[in-house]
Amino acid sequence: MRLRFWGTRGSIPVALTTADVRDRLAQALVAASGRTFATYEEAHAFASSELPFPITHTFGGHSPCVELDIGSDEYFVFDMGSGARPFGVHVLARQARRPAVVNVFMSHVHWDHIMGFPFFGPAYVPGTTIRIHGCHDVLEHAFRLQQSPPCFPVEFDQLAARIEFVRLEPDRPSTVSGVTVTPHLQLHSGDSYGYRVEHGGRSAIYSTDSEHKLENRAEAEGFARFFRDADVVIFDAMYALADAISVKADWGHSSNIVGVELCQMARAKHLVLFHHEPANDDATLEGLLKEARRFEELTRTDHALQVSAAYDGLEIDL
Ligand SMILES: [Zn+2]
Ligand SMILES: [Zn+2]
């Protein structure tokens, strides 16, 4: 199966500014000084292979939306942040006018996780089926509320798709169109739920908006069980560890270092830092990634953990 990241930023979407673009151009020109490129392709190859990641990429971007592609006709997606808009464009292009079936799994209903839904193109296509799964009583209310006057011009009932809300039970595995999905309660204002998904012998965890108190042994062991042997763990790493345990304790989010510790306990294979803090620029996020990789190396025993930072456009095959 393949994970496709359409939105990776937490709290509110961000975009590169003019100053950011100019800064990158200047850095690229310095890096290329003395070089000549006969064609656009040569210059493109240089940019792709020789320039550092923070010059050639941006961590983005859109608020949370992660697709799980199992190669079936149906779609599976976690959260409907603003990344749901480009995800919807992808669905419409692939469907080529055939109505889609989209299975949505919601971590919770904070605005950054639902704000893309009114811009999700397939919701406007007759014949489309959208099943929104989650554990919250307020799931349907929240989706309707954000499309109520005076906040949005198209009301929820005007959407052309057939939209169903499906209640899931925490820690109880459900099979949804061939995928096994298990939600797990997380510490976050108003509660959030992580998901463990299993298909074809592979497993992935989507765990965002989740604060961890590792000094609480039972809590840590509960998450280690939930993450156990996962091929990929998408993890709320909004803060640096120092912030997470001091000024931003109890803000409902976690850190890069806690992600490494939990994944090591669980013997997970690949940690993906996610829900990036909107105030952090690309160089800062690259720094947090390097810090997590260094910590993993220093604390590694017999089990190596791959560590990545999610960005809009990242795809991971597992
Ligand atoms: Zn969030
Ligand atoms: Zn939240």
Side-chain angles (χ1 to χ4, degrees):
M1 52 192 186
R2 172 175 287 178
L3 291 164
R4 225 174 256 128
F5 292 77
W6 296 99
T8 58
R9 186 69 65 162
S11 302
I12 193 165
V14 297
L16 285 181
T17 63
T18 300
D20 295 330
V21 174
R22 227 178 262 148
D23 172 60
R24 275 154 205 254
L25 276 174
Q27 288 190 60
L29 288 168
V30 169
S33 98
R35 306 275 298 248
T36 54
F37 305 103
T39 61
Y40 169 83
E41 284 70 27
E42 272 182 34
H44 196 278
F46 169 78
S48 305
S49 60
E50 292 186 46
L51 292 179
F53 188 94
I55 300 183
T56 55
H57 287 68
T58 179
F59 286 102
H62 283 298
S63 71
C65 184
V66 178
E67 180 192 0
L68 174 76
D69 186 345
I70 61 161
S72 89
D73 284 345
E74 298 193 10
Y75 295 86
F76 303 85
V77 64
F78 298 92
D79 284 338
M80 284 273 121
S82 67
R85 195 194 62 77
F87 169 57
V89 172
H90 160 80
V91 171
L92 293 178
R94 213 187 102 177
Q95 290 303 113
R97 293 176 185 272
R98 288 173 299 130
V101 177
V102 184
N103 298 288
V104 181
F105 300 92
M106 294 299 305
S107 63
H108 64 317
V109 295
H110 281 166
W111 194 34
D112 51 325
H113 298 256
I114 62 172
M115 57 167 54
F117 191 72
F119 303 92
F120 182 55
Y124 294 82
V125 177
T128 301
T129 300
I130 302 174
R131 299 186 200 110
I132 303 178
H133 303 75
C135 300
H136 289 81
D137 291 332
V138 293
L139 197 57
E140 180 166 357
H141 174 66
F143 275 85
R144 288 181 171 278
L145 191 64
Q146 78 164 344
Q147 285 188 242
S148 300
C151 293
F152 200 75
V154 184
E155 290 198 48
F156 191 86
D157 285 331
Q158 293 174 267
L159 296 172
R162 193 174 68 180
I163 302 171
E164 301 163 7
F165 288 87
V166 184
R167 182 69 181 262
L168 299 179
E169 292 300 321
D171 298 320
R172 185 181 297 173
S174 304
T175 303
V176 178
S177 301
V179 176
T180 306
V181 185
T182 312
H184 186 68
L185 177 66
Q186 305 178 134
L187 179 61
H188 192 66
S189 154
D191 292 344
S192 71
Y193 293 86
Y195 289 93
R196 183 182 180 103
V197 285
E198 291 165 313
H199 177 76
R202 298 283 169 178
S203 51
I205 308 288
Y206 179 77
S207 174
T208 192
D209 297 64
S210 176
E211 183 164 359
H212 296 277
K213 310 247 181 224
L214 291 191
E215 63 278 15
N216 178 343
R217 200 71 205 157
E219 196 258 335
E221 281 167 5
F223 272 91
R225 263 197 308 280
F226 183 54
F227 290 2
R228 176 66 55 202
D229 297 325
D231 292 292
V232 172
V233 175
I234 301 165
F235 188 83
D236 175 355
M238 192 163 183
Y239 304 137
L241 181 65
D243 285 340
I245 57 175
S246 57
V247 278
K248 293 171 183 171
D250 303 319
W251 285 21
H253 294 283
S254 192
S255 77
N256 53 349
I257 300 300
V258 169
V260 172
E261 290 188 324
L262 279 174
C263 284
Q264 285 173 331
M265 282 175 75
R267 298 182 74 82
K269 297 182 183 71
H270 187 176
L271 165 66
V272 181
L273 309 177
F274 185 74
H275 202 276
H276 305 304
E277 157 68 50
N280 286 345
D281 62 15
D282 289 314
T284 305
L285 292 172
E286 178 80 357
L288 289 171
L289 171 61
K290 285 189 173 146
E291 182 182 86
R293 285 179 173 162
R294 216 166 27 243
F295 180 76
E296 189 276 330
E297 278 172 26
L298 291 171
T299 56
R300 188 184 299 167
T301 51
D302 64 330
H303 175 78
L305 171 70
Q306 184 183 349
V307 185
S308 307
Y311 57 88
D312 296 14
L314 172 67
E315 294 188 354
I316 296 176
D317 287 318
L318 64 160

